[in-house]
Amino acid sequence: MAPGGARRVRRARRRVRGAPAAGERTRSAEDWWWDRLAPSGSGYHLLQADSMLLVLPGAGPARARAHRRAARRAQPLPPAGARSAGAKARHRPAPAAAPAPPPGPDPGWGDRIPLEILLQIFGLRVAADGPMPFLGRAARVCRHWHEAASQPALWHTVTLSPPLAGRSTKGGAKAEKKLLASLEWLMPNRFSQLQRLTLIHWKSQVHPVLKLVSESCPRLTFLKLSDCHGVTSDTLVMLARACPQLHSLDLQHSMVESTAVVNFLEEVGPRMRKLWLTYGSQTTAILGALLGSCCPQLQLLEVSTGIHRNNTPLQLPVEALQRGCPQLQVLRLLNLIWLPKPSGRAAIPGPGFPCLEELCLAGSTCNFVSNEALSRLLRGSPGLRLLDLRGCARVTPVGLYDLPCQELEQLHLGLYGMSDRLTLAKEGSPLLTHKWCHTLRELDLSGQGFSEKDLEQALAAFSGPHGGSPPALCSLNLRGTRVTPSTVSSVISSCPGLLYLNLESCRCLPRGLKRAYRGPEEVQWCLEQLLTCPPGPS
């Protein structure tokens, strides 16, 4: 055989060997991709959309198109003549109906929640984050949610502040007017049950806003104006008359004339309960109105400095304040240079504050509060629970021991950043703990100069018998003191409820343990380290 003939025979044999069997077709590229992406038994199926191919988990619907193609391929091919003759007579089989897709989430579930349940859910969110912007967004979901979000009971606490980002004076006024236009609809339609209102950074539109409040919010009880300007006497008096339940006013960091505040206090009168002020040149006039008994039911009075510290001393006639505000429960004079007005030799002792529960005289610098001034303030105050004297370096343990309060729960005597410049008492701390060890929950001795032995005797009071119950101490601040490892171990072992322990800068403790411990796990870890670590250099 000729060489050319041999090559033709070999090519024919290859074609016969690789040809598919009768009735079988070659696989298309589409079939190859379907089996490659979701092979049989893999737990995945393919879903073909208009412009995408999705690989989904699960035993998905049958691939009708693939099954139809496979059935056609399995049939033997008829002869060419028979195929052309019977093409018209043959009817294509009806495609198998694909099973219904698995049920998904019901799009109308929000409409079937009862209104009472929806109000409770919204109430929890409002209590955590406030009504805005949540209620505004929820009202746009559907009509049912709009009805729930429109309930005035959810709009009981509102904070209103114009946007501040990069605005000029003219831009700020424009933003306030835009917000005011929205409030003209919101006030009568949403704020009819408003109880607490806070206005922040309002410079030019305070009067129109408060006028809307007086017209639409008869249940208002608390008003806070922070960094607000242009508050007039007529505005506050109008608000006091229109809101018969208004009893709390916070004017810290706002520019308000003393005349406006005095007129408001006189109009509100006996129903006034809480007042917050920023100390300034006009504070004396406001305090004078309180001394004149214009608010005999006042329960909270707080006077603090603003951003810029005021070095003008505040002279407060203690006895006159006790007569003018006999129901005072909380008195805070924060970061002030405070001096009690001299009482004189023949002065009649004041009645005290029989209802006082909290006294805070804390300051960032050393002040002039002494044992005598503290005794005058707390005369007749047996129910005191919190005493904050941070920065009051002139108060001694002996003066504290003579106070009439017997159930003190929080005592703060820390000296922050000033102990190096003062001559501090080295003895007397046991007087404090032995008197109040059965009720103290928080004790702060940061920066005090008590000796190691004195602190050991003081903290040993928490290890003694307490009527069968463990001590109530849960917070102890010993930062910068001379407490020893054995004393710390003893107090941790005796106080199982201790949740906070500050041992920063304690010179007598080993290195690595001078830090703050938060939580029972960290406190117990500190105890284990103190019991296992040998004493080392501080």
Side-chain angles (χ1 to χ4, degrees), residues 67-245:
H67 288 301
R68 290 197 305 270
R69 184 182 296 113
R72 288 198 304 269
R73 292 171 181 170
Q75 296 177 358
L77 293 176
R83 188 190 324 170
S84 60
K88 297 182 180 180
R90 185 181 61 197
H91 298 283
R92 292 188 178 184
D106 186 2
W109 64 269
D111 294 335
R112 290 194 293 272
I113 299 179
L115 183 61
E116 296 78 7
I117 303 299
L118 202 58
L119 285 176
Q120 293 185 14
I121 297 173
F122 285 5
L124 294 175
R125 176 63 184 270
V126 169
D129 301 327
M132 296 298 290
F134 167 71
L135 291 181
R137 295 171 179 172
R140 303 173 66 180
V141 173
C142 61
R143 293 182 179 180
H144 189 53
W145 283 38
H146 182 275
E147 181 183 1
S150 302
Q151 300 296 320
L154 296 174
W155 300 81
H156 55 78
T157 303
V158 175
T159 299
L160 301 175
S161 175
L164 287 175
R167 70 177 190 181
S168 59
T169 303
K170 184 180 296 185
K174 185 177 180 180
E176 292 183 20
K177 291 181 180 180
K178 184 177 180 180
L179 183 54
L180 179 62
S182 301
L183 293 176
E184 291 177 354
W185 182 89
L186 280 173
M187 288 286 183
N189 292 278
R190 297 290 186 270
F191 293 177
S192 60
Q193 298 187 25
L194 183 65
Q195 299 178 9
R196 298 175 64 87
L197 175 63
T198 300
L199 301 180
I200 304 177
H201 305 307
W202 286 80
K203 307 297 183 182
S204 61
Q205 301 295 325
V206 176
H207 177 76
V209 172
L210 294 182
K211 184 178 179 181
L212 288 174
V213 172
S214 63
E215 296 172 353
S216 307
C217 308
R219 300 189 180 184
L220 188 69
T221 61
F222 171 85
L223 175 63
K224 179 178 180 180
L225 303 177
S226 178
D227 191 25
C228 295
H229 298 178
V231 183
T232 62
S233 177
D234 296 339
T235 303
L236 290 180
V237 172
M238 172 187 62
L239 198 64
R241 293 173 180 173
C243 303
Q245 301 181 25

Side-chain angles (χ1 to χ4, degrees), residues 331-387:
L331 177 60
R332 300 178 185 143
L333 304 176
L334 303 178
N335 210 24
L336 298 177
I337 302 178
W338 176 73
L339 289 173
K341 192 173 181 178
S343 57
R345 295 182 178 180
I348 301 175
F353 296 112
C355 302
L356 193 66
E357 298 180 359
E358 176 182 340
L359 176 62
C360 184
L361 304 177
S364 58
T365 59
C366 182
N367 53 42
F368 300 97
V369 180
S370 61
N371 292 339
E372 186 266 341
L374 190 63
S375 177
R376 289 169 58 187
L377 270 174
L378 295 178
R379 176 184 175 86
S381 302
L384 191 70
R385 294 291 185 269
L386 187 150
L387 182 58

